[in-house]
Each structure stands twice: as structure tokens, then as C-alpha cells.
Amino acid sequence: MNQIAKTQWWAFLLPLIAVLIWSMNIAVTRYAVDLIEPASISFYRWLIAFIVLTPFMLFKVWTQRALVRRHLGQLAILSAFGMVLYQGLSYTAAHYTTATNMGIVNAFIPVFTIFISMLILKDIPNRFAIVGSIISFLGLLYILGKGDFTTLLNMGGHSGDLLMVVAVFFYAFYGVFLKKWQLKIPLLISLYVQIGFALLYHIPFLMYFGLDAINARNAPSLLYAGIFPSLLAPLLWMLAVQHIGPNRTSIFMNLMPVFTAIIASLWLAEQWTLFHTIGGMMILVGIVMAQKKNAPVIVQNTSS
């Protein structure tokens, strides 16, 4: 019994560390805006991850090539949404908004997922999901308007926040596609092939924007982005899903705004204000409400 309790305790640390790594990466993204262009850091991130994985995964992918070939189109779409559109827009948004705001907007993924699931999976949300989503959306608007909804009319002043909203929207598609297809392919093979597609997708952007050189100033940020949030955090997250289940694991994503705000305050000297607190609480309350299920309908057996 004690051994089971100990195992469960350690299992709950897995998603906690993963979210901490991803939160740190948001701060690293904001820190690196003056050191390297978005297309370059996005490309180098996945190149480093690809190089690290290749010695372990290349032979496995080759032996499973028939399986990979069957899912090639789906893996290409997942890569486009999760690794290129989401990450690329996030790196661009970092030039125009704060790490704190980026972390808060990231918490909106579950709400977007609910409505995209309705469109693609025909999964009709219940009343809790609808009300919770409205509350979360109002909280998001409150933060984007810095506590004053009228400032939202000045859209130019919110370009970074809006880019981040679009990025999160694309990531919600990524999660819904994963649920829709439920690919019967080893997770690490799936990750490796998606990274390969991401590198190919970056070629047109690099031809247009160019590729910044790696130097002593940007190398630490690139190494962190390429190893910790790209490889270690997803592995910890997948292990957490196996040990404590997807629902309990997903709850830990709500800690991302908190972790990001703390890191940004200590490292980037960003300020957490009253409108962050109010809007953040509205988003959190809405997300929790949106996850609530309708009470099951009990049908009495009248045949006896």
C-alpha cells in the first residue's frame, strides 16, 4: 500500500515538472526576442530536437516505415498545427507582448478545444462548458484590455496578444486532431516524424527571412528550447497520462499562467497587476466550470 502511494505521489510530479518546463520556455521565448528572429529560433529548436532523437529513433522509424507511411498525412497535419503554426506564432507574439500575457492566453487552450471539438467531433458542449467558456473569454478580454474593455478598440496595441490567441487556437486544433485520429503509432516515433515535417515546413520561411547564426548569446536559449520543452516535457507529460490519466493530467495546464508569471517577475522584471489577477481568476473559474460534466440521468427500472 505504501509503495502504491509513493508511486502515485511521484506520478503527480511528472506533469508538474512538464508544465514548469513549458512555462520557463515562454519566458525564454520572451528573453530571446532581441537575440534571434522567430523563424530562426523555431527552426533551430526542432533541429536540435531532431538531432538528439535521431540516434535513438531513426532505426525504429525505418523498421516501422509501413506504419508510418499509413499515417504520414495525419502526422504532417499535426506537425503543421502543433509545431509550426503554434510555435511560430508564439515566437512572433513574444516581440509584441509579455511572457505573463502569453502564459495566461495559453491557459485558454481547453476552452478553444471544447468548441473545435464541437465542429470537428460533433461533441456538443453542455451548459457548464458554454457558461464557463463565456466567463473565460470575458476574462481573456479583460486582460487584453488591461482592465478596460474600451481599450480593445485600439487593436494595434494588442497585436502580440492577438497573435498568441491565434497560436493557441491552432494548438487546440492539434489536440482535437489527436483525439479524432487516435493514431496507433508509438508516441516517440510520432514525435520524431512530426519534428521532421516541421523542419521541412521551415524551409520557405528561412528562404524568405534568412537564418540567423548561432552565437554565444542565443545558444543557451536554443539549447533549452530544443531539449527541455521539445523532448523532456512531452515525455514527462506522456508518462503522466499513462500513470494518472489524461483528465487529471490536463488539470496541471492551469498552473502555466501562475508559473509563467512568477518566472517572468523574477527573471524579466514583469509586473503582475490587478487586471492580471481578476482576468486570470475569471479564466480559471471558466475553465474549471467548462470541465464539469452534466449529472447522469438515472432511469428507474419499472419493469419489476
Side-chain angles (χ1 to χ4, degrees), residues 112-125 169 173 176-177 180:
F112 277 149
T113 301
I114 288 172
F115 287 96
I116 295 173
S117 294
M118 180 178 65
L119 295 174
I120 296 178
L121 305 179
K122 309 303 180 184
D123 186 5
I124 306 301
F169 184 71
F173 269 102
V176 172
F177 284 141
K180 176 181 175 64

Side-chain angles (χ1 to χ4, degrees), residues 4-19 235-253 255:
I4 294 176
K6 183 178 180 180
T7 302
Q8 290 177 340
W9 184 80
W10 280 104
F12 282 104
L13 282 181
L14 298 174
L16 190 69
I17 297 172
V19 171
L235 179 60
L236 293 174
W237 192 261
M238 288 185 289
L239 290 173
V241 170
Q242 291 177 357
H243 283 82
I244 65 177
N247 292 334
R248 288 195 290 179
T249 299
S250 64
I251 293 174
F252 283 83
M253 288 298 291
L255 292 173

Side-chain angles (χ1 to χ4, degrees), residues 182-221:
Q182 297 184 6
L183 305 182
K184 303 302 181 182
I185 184 171
L187 291 174
L188 284 178
I189 291 179
S190 173
L191 177 63
Y192 183 71
V193 175
Q194 288 181 55
I195 291 174
F197 274 116
L199 294 175
L200 294 176
Y201 290 143
H202 277 80
I203 293 176
F205 296 101
L206 297 179
M207 292 176 65
Y208 183 81
F209 293 107
L211 182 64
D212 291 352
I214 299 177
N215 55 48
R217 295 182 64 204
N218 61 35
S221 298

Side-chain angles (χ1 to χ4, degrees), residues 30-281:
R30 184 67 184 89
Y31 169 77
V33 294
D34 296 324
L35 306 178
I36 188 169
E37 289 300 312
S40 294
I41 187 173
S42 184
F43 173 77
Y44 281 130
R45 168 183 180 169
W46 298 120
L47 178 62
I48 292 171
F50 190 80
I51 291 172
V52 171
L53 279 179
T54 293
F56 308 99
M57 299 307 303
L58 187 59
F59 179 73
K60 292 183 179 180
V61 170
W62 175 253
T63 57
Q64 298 281 341
R65 60 188 181 279
L67 177 63
V68 171
R69 192 181 300 114
R70 286 201 298 270
H71 298 294
L72 209 56
Q74 294 164 321
L75 293 172
I77 293 173
L78 290 173
S79 175
F81 279 92
M83 296 183 176
V84 180
L85 292 171
Y86 169 68
Q87 296 294 345
L89 287 172
S90 297
Y91 287 125
T92 304
H95 285 256
Y96 308 104
T97 189
T98 64
T100 300
N101 277 23
M102 291 173 68
I104 290 172
V105 175
N106 258 289
F108 211 66
I109 290 175
V111 173
F112 277 149
T113 301
I114 288 172
F115 287 96
I116 295 173
S117 294
M118 180 178 65
L119 295 174
I120 296 178
L121 305 179
K122 309 303 180 184
D123 186 5
I124 306 301
N126 59 36
R127 63 182 184 276
F128 298 110
I130 295 173
V131 174
S133 298
I134 292 172
I135 293 174
S136 288
F137 186 67
L138 290 175
L140 180 63
L141 292 179
Y142 190 78
I143 291 172
L144 298 187
K146 296 181 172 59
D148 183 359
F149 287 107
T150 60
T151 65
L152 291 171
L153 298 176
N154 179 22
M155 301 305 290
H158 307 283
S159 58
D161 296 321
L162 293 176
L163 276 175
M164 198 63 210
V165 170
V166 175
V168 165
F169 184 71
F170 281 129
Y171 194 78
F173 269 102
Y174 177 83
V176 172
F177 284 141
L178 279 176
K179 183 178 180 180
K180 176 181 175 64
W181 293 326
Q182 297 184 6
L183 305 182
K184 303 302 181 182
I185 184 171
L187 291 174
L188 284 178
I189 291 179
S190 173
L191 177 63
Y192 183 71
V193 175
Q194 288 181 55
I195 291 174
F197 274 116
L199 294 175
L200 294 176
Y201 290 143
H202 277 80
I203 293 176
F205 296 101
L206 297 179
M207 292 176 65
Y208 183 81
F209 293 107
L211 182 64
D212 291 352
I214 299 177
N215 55 48
R217 295 182 64 204
N218 61 35
S221 298
L222 295 176
L223 288 173
Y224 180 87
I227 295 175
F228 289 91
S230 302
L231 298 177
L232 182 58
L235 179 60
L236 293 174
W237 192 261
M238 288 185 289
L239 290 173
V241 170
Q242 291 177 357
H243 283 82
I244 65 177
N247 292 334
R248 288 195 290 179
T249 299
S250 64
I251 293 174
F252 283 83
M253 288 298 291
N254 294 332
L255 292 173
M256 185 175 289
V258 178
F259 286 165
T260 304
I262 293 172
I263 295 169
S265 175
L266 296 175
W267 183 23
L268 305 176
E270 293 184 5
Q271 297 299 314
W272 180 273
T273 65
L274 180 61
F275 69 78
H276 284 118
T277 300
I278 296 174
M281 288 300 297

